[in-house]
Amino acid sequence: MPVSPDEYRLMDVLQGGRCFYCGEPVGTKATFDHLIPLAYGGLDAAPNVVLAHRRCNQRKADRLPTPEEIERFVTQRRHSRLGAWPPLLALRDAEPGDEWMTVARAIAGL
């Protein structure tokens, strides 16, 4: 279920109108970035998506989010109806070096 216009507006408010990665104003040039990439089983829905500049989205490419990015995402979404996708929460607790396997197990367990 792709991001709805209402979810887009709520993301924009939660992110303060700024790119999730660089923190600069994103304006009308926002793209959707999947924290857990679609290529690796990521969900195409608001609980796995942030707003980002195209260049920041491309720079992130298909890597997993850093621990700092996960914490910032969870903090932004803590009291929001958008929520955080359970595999992201599992990734937050992953052992260093075991991130991809943790994500795969979490996705398989859904």
Side-chain angles (χ1 to χ4, degrees), residues 11-12 14-27 29-36 46-57 59-60 63-77 88:
M11 266 188 254
D12 191 42
L14 291 172
Q15 290 181 214
R18 299 189 172 277
C19 173
F20 184 78
Y21 298 105
C22 73
E24 295 296 318
V26 75
K29 297 180 180 176
T31 63
F32 295 126
D33 182 66
H34 300 85
L35 289 172
I36 295 178
N48 185 45
V49 172
V50 294
L51 300 178
H53 291 117
R54 179 173 309 283
R55 72 180 180 276
C56 295
N57 191 338
R59 195 173 300 134
K60 178 188 170 268
R63 73 166 171 81
L64 289 174
T66 66
E68 184 276 332
E69 290 166 346
I70 295 169
E71 283 307 315
R72 188 161 22 99
F73 179 77
V74 170
T75 298
Q76 284 179 357
R77 301 292 179 94
L88 283 165

